[in-house]
Amino acid sequence: MKFSHTLQLNAVPEWIDSYVNYDSLKKLIFQIEKEHVEDINAETDPEKASEHLRDGEAKFISALDAQLEKVFDFYTHKESELYAMLDDLEAEMDGNGDIHNTSEFSHKENLAPLEQLDSTFQNKEYPNQKLEKIAPVRRASRSSRYSFESRMSVDNDGAFLVEQLSDIRSQLILLYISLSELESYVELNRTAFEKILKKYDKVLQGDLKSRYLNKMVMDSRPFMPETMQVLKSQLTRIENSFANAFCGGNRTVALRQMKTHLRDQVTFERNTVWKEMIRQERKVNDTKLIEQKPVKTFKIPFTNHRIKSALLTQLICLTISIAALIILLLVDCFGQKQENYCFALLIFAAIMWATEAMPLYATSCLIPFMIVPLGILRNPDGSVMAAKAAAKATFASMYTGTIMMLLGGFALAAALSKYGIAKAFASHVLSRAGTRPMWVLLAIMFVSGFLSMFISNVATPVLCFTLIDPILRTLPDRSRVAPCLILGIALSSCIGGMTSPISSPQNIVTIQYMNPNPGWGLWFGAALPIAVLSMFVCWGLLLLVYRPASDTPHLNTIKPTKEKITKTQVFICLVTILTIALWCAESSIESSIGDTGIIAAIPLFVFFGTGVLNKEDLNNFLWSVVVLAQGGMALGNAVTSSGLLQDIALRLKDGISHLPVIAILAVFCFLILVFATFVSHTVAALIIVPIVMEVGQQLPVPHPNLLVMGAGLACSAGMGLPVSGYPNMSAIMLEDPSGKPYLTTKDFVITGIPTSIIATCLIFTLGYGIMSGMGY
C-alpha cells in the first residue's frame, strides 16, 4: 500500500488536515525533477541548471518548514488541551472520595507533565517554532462541562452516583483513546517526514534527509524523545486512575479494558475511512468511465427493456456457437460418428474462444463435460470408450507434467517478484543505460524480454511500466518518447514470450505436443537467436517511426534500488538457478527424473515449505491460464482419440506433401500468425498446434517436432493489434496524467505488424536451420 493511503487510513479523521500533506510534497518533488530534466534537454548552462536545482531545494525546504510548523502548532495545542482535561478530571475524582475504592491513589506520584517538559526544554532553541505556544490552556476545557462536585450537590442518591461513575469512566476511556491517537499522530508524521525526504534524495540524488531530519524534525518538540516520554507518562496516569477507580487497583485488567475500547474505536474509524477511500476512488473511476467510454445499450424490439451492447454481442456469439455445434452434430462430414462429434466440439470451442462469448477458462471447463456424453473417445481397437474409462482418460489428460511445469514457473515468478529480485535487477540494468532515448529504449526492451523468460510475459509488462514511471512523469506534453517506450515494452514482452518454456502459456501447450520434450537447453538454442534478432528489428522500427530524440534528447535517469541483499533473496536465486539448470539438463537425466514436471515440484515444495511463499501467493497464481491450458489439453486428447486429427492431417498432407518442409513450416507459421494476431496467442496454440503435429507425423519424412516448435514460436509473433496478447492489452490501457491513452490501435499497426512479419520470417528461415541442425 502506498504511504499516502497508509497515512489516510491510520489518521484520526477529525485531524486529517493537521497531518503532513504527503501528496503535495511528493508532487512538488516530481515538479522539481521535471524542471531539472527540462534544463538538461534545453542544454542549459550547467551552473545555471545547478542553481535552478538549488532553488528547487529551497522551495522544497520551505514547504517542509510549513508542514513542520503545522504539526508543531497542532501538537502543542492538542497536548495542552488533553493534559488540562486530565488534570481537571483527576481533580474532580479527588474531590469525591467515593469514586476511589483505594486511598493509595494520588496523581502527585505521577509526572506533572507540562511543568517538567518546560523545565527540560527551557534552555533549547527551536528553529521556526513559537515556544510561547507551549503555555498550557488548562481552563479552556472547564467551561465546556459541569464539574463533578456541582453535579453531586444536586442529587446525592445512589442512582445518580452510578450515573456519575459511568460518566467518569467514559471520560477516562475517551482521554485514553485521544492520547493514544496523539501518540499515533506523532509516529505517523515522523514517518511521513522520513519517507518524503528519502523520496527527495532518491529522485533528485540529494542528501537532504540526513540534514533536515536531524536538525529540524527530530529537534522539533513533537518528535523529541522527552516529549514522547511525557506523553507515555500521561497514558500511565490514566491507566492508574482507571485501575484504582474501577478495577480494584488491578492495572492489567484496566489496561485490557481500555485497549479493547481503543481497538474498537480504531477499527470503526479505519473501516469508515477505508469505505470513504473506496467510494472516492470509485467515484473518480466511474466519472472517467462515463466521460470516456459511455455504456452503450440496445433496445429490445417490441419491449421497453434495454440491454448492454457488450452483453448482446456475447449472446449473439453464444448463439452462433451453439447453432454451429448443433448443425455439425447433425451433418456427416467424415463418415465416422466420433470424428463428426469431435469436429463439432472443436469448431464450437474455437468460436467460443475466438469471440470470448464466455471467459476463456469457462469454455475450457465445459469441454470435459461435453467430451464424455458425446462419446467422442475411442479405444485403441476403434471401439467407443465406455463413459467411466472416457472420464478417467479425460481427467488424466488435464493434469500432466506440462501443467506441473507451469505451476513451477508461477512459483518462481511469484518469489522473484514478491521479494523485489526482478525489480532490483531491472532497475540496476536501466540505471546504466544513460539518458539517450535510443539506448534507454534498447535497454528496457531487453530487460522486459529477459524477465519474460522467468516471470512470464503476463507480469513483466506491468513491472516494466512501473520502472519507467520516473521517465514518463518528466516528459514534455505530447512527447514521442512515451508511446515509443510503452510500445517497446509491449512488443518486446510478446517476443520474450517465445524465449523459454514457461515464458508464455502457448509454449506450455507447444511442449505438450513435442516428443521427446526439448527441455530448456534445446528451446533456448532455437528461440533465443530468433528473439534477439526480432528485438533489434523492433528497436530499429520504433526509432524510425517515432524518432524519440527529436523532441527529448535526454531522459531522466532511472535510479537503482539501494536495499541490501537479504538471505531470502539469495536463497530464492539459488533455488531458481538450480531448477532452471535441472530443466536444461532434463534430457540427460530423463532416466532418473522421467519428466520436467517432477523438477517443477522443487520450487513449489521449497518456497511454500519454507514460508517464502504463502497461501495468498498460491491464490494469486494465474489459475485461469491453468484451466484454459487444461481444457485445451482435454480437447487435444479428444481430437486425437476420435481419429479426427489423423483424418484432417491426411487430407492436409495430400495438398502440401509435395512442398519442402521449410515451405510447410512457412504456411503454418503465417496461418497461426493471423490467428494469433486477431484472437489470442494461447487459443491459436490450442487449436492449430495439434493439427500441425499430426501433419508433421504424416509427412513422407516425419518432422513433427520441427513444425510444432516453429508453430509455437509463431504464436508469440502475433503482436499487430491491441488484442494480440497480454502485453499489448496492458499497454493500450495506460493513460497520461490528463487521462488520454498513450497508445492507439494505429501505433500497434504501424510498428507491430512489420515486426510480426519479420519475426515470422526469421522463424521459418533461421529457426528452420537451427531446428534442423538439432535433429528436428
Side-chain angles (χ1 to χ4, degrees), residues 369-389:
F369 170 77
M370 299 181 69
I371 288 174
V372 177
L374 289 175
I376 291 173
L377 301 188
R378 296 193 303 188
N379 293 310
D381 61 1
S383 60
V384 179
M385 191 177 292
K388 190 170 184 178

Side-chain angles (χ1 to χ4, degrees), residues 667-681:
V667 170
F668 279 121
C669 282
F670 277 111
L671 173 64
I672 209 166
L673 172 64
V674 173
F675 205 89
T677 299
F678 287 95
V679 184
S680 161
H681 296 171

Side-chain angles (χ1 to χ4, degrees), residues 317-377:
C317 294
L318 181 60
T319 303
I320 294 173
S321 303
I322 295 174
L325 175 66
I326 295 173
I327 293 172
L328 292 173
L329 285 174
L330 298 176
V331 176
D332 186 1
C333 300
F334 296 91
Q336 287 284 341
K337 178 181 176 181
Q338 286 74 32
E339 290 185 28
N340 289 333
Y341 283 7
C342 188
F343 182 68
L345 177 59
L346 178 65
I347 298 301
F348 170 76
I351 297 175
M352 290 285 286
W353 278 331
T355 60
E356 293 194 48
M358 287 186 177
L360 300 179
Y361 56 87
T363 301
S364 292
C365 291
L366 181 63
I367 289 173
F369 170 77
M370 299 181 69
I371 288 174
V372 177
L374 289 175
I376 291 173
L377 301 188

Side-chain angles (χ1 to χ4, degrees), residues 536-551:
F536 278 113
V537 168
C538 182
W539 175 60
L541 286 172
L542 287 170
L543 293 178
L544 183 64
V545 171
Y546 289 97
R547 301 183 181 276
S550 61
D551 61 1

Side-chain angles (χ1 to χ4, degrees), residues 60 97 160 276 287 414 624 727:
F60 182 68
F160 190 75
E276 179 64 18
T287 302
S624 59

Side-chain angles (χ1 to χ4, degrees), residues 583-621:
W583 271 334
C584 291
E586 189 268 338
S587 57
S588 60
I589 59 175
E590 187 176 8
S591 58
S592 302
I593 298 298
D595 191 273
T596 52
I598 301 299
I599 300 172
I602 294 175
L604 287 167
F605 170 75
V606 172
F607 289 156
F608 285 103
T610 58
V612 171
L613 299 178
N614 53 35
K615 183 171 66 176
E616 184 178 350
D617 298 310
L618 182 64
N619 293 336
N620 290 333
F621 279 10

